[in-house]
Amino acid sequence: MTATATPATVQDNEGFPLHQEDEGGFSMTVMGTVIFLASEVMFFATLLGSYYTLRAVNADSWPPEGIEPEWPLPLLMTATLLVSSVSIHGAVWAVRRDNRTVLTSALAITVLLGVMFMVGEIFEFSIAEFDFEGWKDGPPKGVAEGIVPGAYGSMFWTILAFHGLHVSGGIILNSYILFSALNGRFSSKNYQVLESASYYWHFVDVVWLIVFVTLYVVK
Amino acid sequence: MTTHTFTPDQSPGVGAVRVTRPYRAVFLDWITTTDHKKIGTMYAIAASVFFLIGGILAGIMRIQLAIPENDFVTRDVFNQSFTMHGTIMVFLFLMPMLAALGNWMVPLQVGAADMAYPKVNALAFWMIPLGGTVLLLSYLMPNGPHAGSWVSYPPLADVSESGTAFLPGHGVDLWIGAIAILGISSTLGSINFIVTVYKMRAPGMTMLRVPIFTWTVIVQSFLAIFSLPVVTAGLAMLWISRNLGGRFFDPSAGGDPILYQHIFWYFGHPEVYILVLPVMGVVSEIIPVFSRKPLFGYKAFIFATLSIAALGTMVWAHHMFTTGAIQVHFFAFTSFLISVPTGVKMFNWTATMYKGKIEFTSAMLFALGFLMMFLIGGITGVFNATGGLDFSLHDTYFVVSHFHYVLVSAALFGLFAGFYYWFPKMSGRMLNETVGKVQFVLLFLGVNFTFLPQMLVGLDGMPRRIPTYTEEEGWGLGNLISSYGYILIALAAILFLLNVLLSMRRGKISGDNPWDAYALEWATSSPPPYYNFDRLPLIRSERPVFDENHPEAVATGDR
Amino acid sequence: MRRSPTNDCRIPSALFLLLGATVLLAGCAAGQPDSITEEGDSVRSLYKWVFGLAVLIFLAVEGAILFMAVKFRRRKNDDGSLPPQIHGDNRLEAVWTITPLAIVLVLFVLAYQNINDLQAEVPADEIQALVDQDKALRVDVTGLQWVWQFAYPDFAWQNSEGDMSPVKILGENTNTIPETAGSVPTLRVPLGIPVQFKLHALDVIHSFYIPQTLYKLDAVPGRVNHFEMTFTETGIYNGQCAELCGTSHADMRFRVEVMPADDFFAWAASEQAKGETSALADIAAEEAEEAAEAEAANDDGTGTSADDSSEENTESATEETSGTETETNPASPGEATSNATDTGSGVEQADQVLSERE
């Protein structure tokens, strides 16, 4: 039984295809990306698990007095990410139909929306009254001297910071994908990398939804 | 029995052929290679270098502890030594050495031409020397390296309420950075192994025909993906505590030191199975070959491996019995359970030898040594798992003895077994068998002289992580014997190094399959060509090369 | 190309025998120390079961391995044929899965009972009654870098600030001198009655370990871990911190002196009395000072005589207090100081925290 250069449908006597392309199933790029995302799930699970643990430990003062996470801006950021997930899915849809115009526009929109999300994130950090360490400028009005954000503040910003880092990484990745798409790299027969990037982006979005519910709804 | 005749121009492998190329070309070839075999060799070299460094640190500690109230090193230097010794041995020796064997053998065992992502493979390798450099740079810091043990519990590793670090300086931060880098390297390697085995198996190789070593590498890879990100997150939180004012583990600010322990051990326990499972896989390749029989209970073995991995994620708090913050009964129960699949493996290995025709090559001796020592390590583990007993044993030398039995007496034996077994395949030459036997005796005596007395002083109450102890405690004799045992281990390690260096140029030529072994890597030349296989045998069982070489066994159905 | 290595099984046999003999000897000769508490006795008996089982399993499995290795070695006159290629046996797999499972479950039942023994404590609502009758004792243990400090909250008096101040045994805090050994305070406990320990940690995690009790428990900042022991043997025993806590972790030692209950309570009561007397003297001295200051404020011309008389008062008051300062019973080794007055800033800190926790 020799694996010489013969047409793709050669099989051995148990019916196993002799060439990898005949196998079907997930492409290697997608499979690797999915496993990588599994590791990222564990990373965020640890951070979120820590948040919930500390919340249980500090049952009656979580969030501490004087901290009230506000909805409006984060909700807008959520909408931004959701729309960007739609747009990147649109890009995958387009490449399957070899529609380069829609592909590149959709990717451009995704990148733009990602940037808008990060702008919102940074703005949130700048207007907040507390950072990793504690109050930025002393306790707000009406809050006693001894109350500190402490562990809450650290957990809050750590989760948002790591998510933000992942979004930033995604923006860079999507920009590279956009650049490649503009150079004509992708076609309906070759878009595994684009598909993998879209999975990463969807992952970032799903994590944001859980983060949003944790930090701003459940609290 | 068909074999390839070994001819010099067959492939430019490691040490097989005297190649007269300019050094610069060779150097660039190795630096930029994505060939899994060369990467495997580089992993082995890096791991060996770090083994020597970790070993020297062990020597420093054994000299300090040999007699009571010794002042060979200061207390801080001693604390730094056990911290760095543990970190280096786990992350810079054991994990890369297992990656070396995995990188070399997994693609060969599944009949692939390389790993799924060769460039990522190279990246993952180069992160090892990078991580090691970052870690060792901490010795140049004014306050020196981390001195808070390889588990690095806060508040000791953290910052106090008033803002001063208990372990000041950047040593801890560099340690955190190094582990993050090394963790990412392992994660990338794990993804590579899983995709390679899933997508690149040769035709005819169903999952239940995959060799057992590759199976253990896959299960270990899943454990790594599951657990490494957890510790990365925990260490990120520690770094934020030290540098950005984070207060996750400070009870005065609403934090909890026990949270860190949960996070760390949620990684830490699967980590020890990451270290041990592939070694079990190596031994499972060797014992059948040198008994001339198949592995007894191949399917049961896979099931046991999966059980150990699954149960291994449910036992972590047995490292925290004495914190008063966990449910002791539950974790004692799950820890007991894990001894069952481990026992199944021991019995399967023993049954493999039953009615066999055993040859005591160096590889087989080391594999048998693994069996014998792992039993002791496992039994001492049961002592620790017994909740109430652990209250007397935790943080004593009994625990130190337990994990050194499973990691040194067992895992190290398994690694040596793997090298004596696979060195011919990697280099085309045999390691010297006489030296191997001498090394085995030295190592066997060495590990028992070193770690058995530690069991006894631990039972007597000697705590761990102490730079010295008083005369009146009575631990002097045990420590002295333990320190002498270290010398034997060091000698054995040096002997092995010499064996490798000499055999690379002057060892007996091995041929394709010197052991009449079973798995696919033996179907190609020694060393393999860069594309691995000229031809593949028919794969209808987990022993394709055996099937091809012993048609009489196939014909009678006794295979 | 087949190898034909020497088929020497003498090496593994010899090594096994050596190993087996060493392990057995070691296990019989050494092992855990004799226990000095009821809870420790429970651990000791569990240990005997586990060790017995371990020896059996070790001999059986190691024996099986060596037996297989010796009996089925390739003989020199081997014809090169393949031995029977046995792939496995599911029934055997079932046997050697279920049997260890059964053994482990039995072990767990023993372990379960033992854990309950160790975690058992006199309930909170009953302990006060027992303490009042001198049938139980509570001890507060504080660990801080790198010294142990002990207090008996049941033997306390009201000090000059109005707080309850307990009888204390304090090690000298060597926080500023890492390389020198910390002092080794000696904790006194009564024989034969339950002693409830509460563990506090002020800075990092420490662990309270008395090897001969076969028990340890961590002292974690932010938590108060607690356990109970009933001592069964008199004597002086060593204790040591068992959780890495920094440079002088190895020097963070203490001792435990177990004495007959009557002797203990006599000592504790006398320490409490001393404390009360000294507190009263402090209060008297303060009142005298205040009175003197008030007089001095009222009298304009008679300052000297008033000062003299106030000085006399304060002098006699200080004489009284210095008269009540005593060193501990010289029979106990180490530099334990029973508390009549505080010494050292770190000790004050511990004192403050301990009194806050009452």
Side-chain angles (χ1 to χ4, degrees):
Chain A
M1 197 68 59
T2 5
T4 49
T6 43
T9 51
V10 173
Q11 298 174 337
D12 71 0
N13 67 357
E14 256 190 1
F16 286 98
L18 275 183
H19 297 275
Q20 193 222 319
E21 307 85 80
D22 304 322
E23 287 258 352
F26 288 118
S27 76
M28 293 203 344
T29 321
V30 167
M31 190 176 177
T33 307
V34 167
I35 300 175
F36 169 71
L37 291 178
S39 78
E40 294 279 47
V41 166
M42 291 309 295
F43 181 82
F44 280 103
T46 307
L47 291 179
L48 288 164
S50 301
Y51 181 90
Y52 281 110
T53 305
L54 290 175
R55 181 171 175 272
V57 164
N58 290 290
D60 47 359
S61 54
W62 188 277
E65 223 182 293
I67 296 181
E68 197 46 55
E70 313 233 318
W71 281 44
L73 181 53
L75 197 59
L76 189 62
M77 287 156 63
T78 310
T80 313
L81 269 191
L82 283 171
V83 172
S84 72
S85 264
V86 170
S87 64
I88 203 171
H89 184 71
V92 175
W93 177 93
V95 85
R96 287 200 185 119
R97 286 155 184 74
D98 279 309
N99 186 336
R100 257 185 74 181
T101 329
V102 176
L103 166 66
T104 47
S105 333
L107 283 173
I109 294 171
T110 310
V111 171
L112 196 62
L113 290 172
V115 171
M116 277 171 57
F117 177 91
M118 282 314 296
V119 167
E121 191 66 69
I122 295 170
F123 180 70
E124 259 233 75
F125 186 71
S126 66
I127 62 166
E129 284 167 335
F130 62 99
D131 57 18
F132 285 95
E133 246 179 311
W135 302 116
K136 283 186 192 163
D137 269 314
K141 277 206 182 61
V143 176
E145 248 325 297
I147 308 285
V148 285
Y152 176 85
S154 313
M155 215 61 248
F156 186 87
W157 288 118
T158 300
I159 292 175
L160 286 176
F162 274 110
H163 180 261
L165 280 172
H166 282 79
V167 169
S168 308
I171 293 173
I172 296 172
L173 176 64
N174 290 342
S175 307
Y176 167 73
I177 300 288
L178 171 61
F179 185 69
S180 308
L182 286 169
N183 283 342
R185 176 179 167 184
F186 301 116
S187 71
S188 55
K189 298 219 179 1
N190 173 22
Y191 64 97
Q192 294 167 9
V193 175
L194 167 59
E195 195 181 359
S196 303
S198 80
Y199 288 163
Y200 178 80
W201 192 253
H202 291 314
F203 165 78
V204 157
D205 194 0
V206 169
V207 169
W208 171 255
L209 289 174
I210 302 176
V211 165
F212 175 76
V213 167
T214 300
L215 296 182
Y216 297 99
V217 178
V218 173
K219 286 195 276 246
Chain B
M1 187 160 74
T2 56
T3 52
H4 284 291
T5 326
F6 179 71
T7 51
D9 56 9
Q10 200 161 24
S11 75
V14 178
V17 157
R18 291 201 75 114
V19 182
T20 52
R21 286 190 291 160
Y23 281 120
R24 187 167 169 274
V26 174
F27 178 73
L28 280 177
D29 179 16
W30 281 83
I31 297 281
T32 58
T33 188
T34 59
D35 175 11
H36 71 101
K37 301 183 283 298
K38 291 206 173 84
I39 289 176
T41 304
M42 290 197 289
Y43 264 112
I45 296 174
S48 304
V49 168
F50 289 114
F51 179 67
L52 292 174
I53 299 177
I56 290 173
L57 289 169
I60 292 174
M61 290 192 281
R62 283 316 327 159
I63 295 175
Q64 167 67 15
L65 287 173
I67 56 174
E69 291 169 79
N70 204 355
D71 56 2
F72 178 65
V73 289
T74 64
R75 280 158 170 59
D76 276 330
V77 169
F78 189 87
N79 290 357
Q80 291 164 0
S81 298
F82 61 68
T83 305
M84 295 296 274
H85 167 80
T87 309
I88 290 175
M89 287 306 200
V90 170
F91 291 103
L92 288 166
F93 165 59
L94 275 172
M95 290 181 81
M97 196 56 101
L98 292 169
L101 287 178
N103 261 290
W104 250 104
M105 294 306 157
V106 166
L108 287 170
Q109 286 201 332
V110 297
D114 203 323
M115 297 273 272
Y117 310 113
K119 292 195 196 114
V120 172
N121 205 17
L123 173 68
F125 165 70
W126 286 107
M127 291 172 81
I128 300 289
L130 175 67
T133 310
V134 168
L135 184 70
L136 292 173
L137 270 178
S138 60
Y139 272 105
L140 297 177
M141 292 290 117
N143 289 96
H146 197 356
S149 85
W150 87 288
V151 299
S152 182
Y153 285 171
L156 181 64
D158 194 357
V159 161
S160 72
E161 209 181 318
S162 54
T164 44
F166 290 104
L167 295 172
H170 289 295
V172 180
D173 301 311
L174 284 172
W175 179 89
I176 292 174
I179 297 199
I181 294 171
L182 296 168
I184 293 173
S185 160
S186 282
T187 308
L188 290 175
S190 300
I191 299 174
N192 226 340
F193 283 126
I194 294 173
V195 179
T196 304
V197 172
Y198 194 72
K199 296 293 285 183
M200 293 174 71
R201 281 167 285 145
M205 188 175 280
T206 60
M207 281 308 291
L208 286 178
R209 291 176 184 163
V210 166
I212 205 76
F213 172 68
T214 302
W215 258 107
T216 55
V217 170
I218 296 311
V219 175
Q220 169 226 45
S221 299
F222 274 110
L223 275 179
I225 286 167
F226 178 82
S227 64
L228 283 166
V230 175
V231 74
T232 312
L235 289 179
M237 288 158 72
L238 188 63
W239 187 87
I240 292 174
S241 286
R242 288 180 65 85
N243 295 284
L244 293 179
R247 312 270 12 100
F248 313 92
F249 312 118
D250 179 357
S252 70
D256 185 5
I258 306 293
L259 173 64
Y260 176 90
Q261 292 191 31
H262 278 293
I263 295 175
F264 185 85
W265 287 115
Y266 200 72
F267 148 77
H269 197 84
E271 167 68 13
V272 313
Y273 292 113
I274 290 171
L275 297 175
V276 131
L277 286 178
V279 177
M280 290 176 162
V282 168
V283 161
S284 309
E285 296 278 330
I286 291 174
I287 293 183
V289 166
F290 294 106
S291 307
R292 315 301 310 133
K293 290 179 64 233
L295 177 66
F296 188 94
Y298 168 88
K299 288 206 186 84
F301 208 91
I302 292 175
F303 189 69
T305 307
L306 291 168
S307 308
I308 291 177
L311 280 170
T313 61
M314 296 199 270
V315 299
W316 78 94
H318 67 216
H319 300 269
M320 297 163 60
F321 276 151
T322 61
T323 57
I326 57 120
Q327 172 58 268
V328 176
H329 303 81
F330 173 78
F331 286 100
F333 182 67
T334 52
S335 306
F336 274 132
L337 280 184
I338 227 178
S339 59
V340 175
T342 318
V344 165
K345 289 196 175 185
M346 296 283 315
F347 300 134
N348 277 338
W349 286 317
T350 313
T352 304
M353 293 194 284
Y354 176 69
K355 288 216 170 128
K357 290 189 178 179
I358 303 172
E359 303 188 26
F360 294 102
T361 57
S362 301
M364 184 61 171
L365 281 175
F366 277 106
L368 281 177
F370 168 90
L371 277 193
M372 292 171 18
M373 299 290 96
F374 189 73
L375 183 66
I376 297 179
I379 289 176
T380 50
V382 172
F383 278 82
N384 285 317
T386 311
L389 269 186
D390 188 61
F391 285 94
S392 61
L393 300 174
H394 176 69
D395 259 327
T396 65
Y397 262 86
F398 188 85
V399 178
V400 176
S401 170
H402 159 71
F403 66 71
H404 280 99
Y405 258 98
V406 281
L407 288 176
V408 179
S409 314
L412 189 62
F413 269 69
L415 282 174
F416 281 129
F419 273 105
Y420 275 96
Y421 181 60
W422 275 317
F423 187 83
K425 176 54 56 185
M426 298 181 191
S427 69
R429 293 176 187 270
M430 309 292 286
L431 282 173
N432 188 303
E433 282 289 311
T434 316
V435 173
K437 290 177 168 72
V438 172
Q439 190 209 337
F440 169 75
V441 173
L442 275 177
L443 193 62
F444 188 90
L445 292 172
V447 296
N448 284 299
F449 273 121
T450 308
F451 300 116
L452 199 58
Q454 289 183 4
M455 219 187 281
L456 303 177
V457 297
L459 283 170
D460 195 46
M462 178 174 175
R464 63 185 287 203
R465 299 180 178 142
I466 51 171
T468 192
Y469 50 95
T470 59
E471 179 80 51
E472 54 165 32
E473 303 274 20
W475 300 324
L477 181 61
N479 274 289
L480 189 62
I481 297 175
S482 179
S483 298
Y484 278 121
Y486 168 84
I487 299 174
L488 293 176
I489 300 180
L491 280 175
I494 294 172
L495 253 187
F496 180 75
L497 219 60
L498 287 174
N499 201 353
V500 167
L501 290 172
L502 291 173
S503 302
M504 275 182 64
R505 292 273 176 251
R506 286 181 224 189
K508 279 204 182 92
I509 304 283
S510 66
D512 293 1
N513 193 354
W515 312 120
D516 191 14
Y518 306 155
L520 267 187
E521 73 267 24
W522 304 102
T524 183
S525 63
S526 301
Y530 68 87
Y531 50 84
N532 288 347
F533 293 96
D534 276 319
R535 57 170 288 281
L536 285 172
L538 198 63
I539 298 170
R540 289 294 173 265
S541 79
E542 78 273 13
R543 304 194 292 168
V545 173
F546 174 85
D547 294 340
E548 192 177 49
N549 290 340
H550 293 276
E552 74 279 10
V554 178
T556 59
D558 182 21
R559 74 149 176 92
Chain C
M1 186 168 68
R2 282 287 308 276
R3 314 284 317 160
S4 48
T6 56
N7 226 27
D8 200 339
C9 66
R10 289 172 299 177
I11 299 172
S13 314
L15 290 173
F16 167 71
L17 287 167
L18 180 64
L19 181 65
T22 319
V23 167
L24 281 171
L25 268 172
C28 301
Q32 296 194 304
D34 292 321
S35 120
I36 57 168
T37 62
E38 284 176 9
E39 293 76 10
D41 292 336
S42 171
V43 172
R44 216 45 194 110
S45 69
L46 179 63
Y47 175 82
K48 287 194 180 111
W49 276 102
V50 177
F51 182 73
L53 200 61
V55 168
L56 280 172
I57 293 177
F58 173 76
L59 289 174
V61 181
E62 212 85 310
I65 293 171
L66 214 81
F67 173 75
M68 299 291 182
V70 169
K71 174 136 196 242
F72 298 109
R73 67 192 186 283
R74 189 173 70 94
R75 304 296 195 279
K76 292 219 167 53
N77 55 0
D78 181 57
D79 59 358
S81 64
L82 286 174
Q85 301 287 293
I86 307 167
H87 283 264
D89 183 337
N90 281 338
R91 277 170 319 165
L92 214 49
E93 300 285 354
V95 164
W96 63 50
T97 307
I98 294 180
T99 315
L101 189 60
I103 296 176
V104 151
L105 287 174
V106 166
L107 263 182
F108 176 67
V109 168
L110 293 173
Y112 189 93
Q113 289 170 345
N114 173 255
I115 297 169
N116 287 346
D117 286 342
L118 294 177
Q119 293 182 337
E121 279 180 84
V122 172
D125 51 357
E126 289 174 27
I127 189 74
Q128 188 60 49
L130 287 173
V131 162
D132 291 336
Q133 296 165 38
D134 280 356
K135 290 213 171 77
L137 179 72
R138 288 180 285 206
V139 177
D140 271 330
V141 175
T142 302
L144 59 150
Q145 285 179 326
W146 286 281
V147 70
W148 291 100
Q149 297 176 335
F150 309 111
Y152 301 94
D154 301 323
F155 293 92
W157 63 90
Q158 194 159 35
N159 66 12
S160 49
E161 276 116 50
D163 304 318
M164 293 307 289
S165 185
V167 172
K168 293 199 193 73
I169 297 177
L170 300 168
E172 259 175 49
N173 194 330
T174 56
N175 210 354
T176 54
I177 319 166
E179 291 297 332
T180 59
S183 66
V184 185
T186 302
L187 172 68
R188 293 171 171 224
V189 289
L191 180 71
I193 59 171
V195 181
Q196 282 193 355
F197 290 85
K198 283 202 167 66
L199 303 178
H200 312 272
L202 294 188
D203 39 28
V204 299
I205 301 179
H206 301 275
S207 191
F208 183 74
Y209 178 40
I210 306 169
Q212 291 214 268
T213 62
L214 302 176
Y215 191 81
K216 67 175 67 70
L217 200 59
D218 291 351
V220 180
R223 287 184 75 80
V224 179
N225 280 336
H226 50 92
F227 65 96
E228 181 180 292
M229 270 179 189
T230 306
F231 291 88
T232 56
E233 302 277 336
T234 54
I236 300 176
Y237 308 101
N238 288 334
Q240 195 162 356
C241 176
E243 183 62 56
L244 178 69
C245 53
T247 308
S248 290
H249 164 63
D251 307 306
M252 194 167 156
R253 291 179 285 127
F254 62 98
R255 291 203 184 86
V256 177
E257 185 179 353
V258 184
M259 48 182 27
D262 296 332
D263 294 347
F264 172 81
F265 285 111
W267 168 81
S270 86
E271 290 298 311
Q272 183 180 18
K274 280 183 206 154
E276 274 165 356
T277 320
S278 132
L280 284 172
D282 284 342
I283 292 169
E286 274 180 30
E287 282 170 1
E289 257 188 64
E290 281 165 23
E293 277 167 25
E295 266 197 55
N298 286 337
D299 289 347
D300 283 334
T302 48
T304 331
S305 54
D307 285 338
D308 281 338
S309 58
S310 66
E311 269 170 32
E312 273 175 36
N313 280 342
T314 42
E315 268 175 13
S316 54
T318 27
E319 270 171 25
E320 265 189 75
T321 33
S322 58
T324 53
E325 274 178 39
T326 41
E327 289 305 312
T328 19
N329 190 332
S332 58
E335 296 86 33
T337 30
S338 87
N339 175 265
T341 49
D342 290 339
T343 49
S345 58
V347 166
E348 273 169 357
Q349 182 196 22
D351 189 16
Q352 194 178 13
V353 174
L354 283 173
S355 52
E356 277 164 26
R357 291 190 195 278
E358 274 128 42

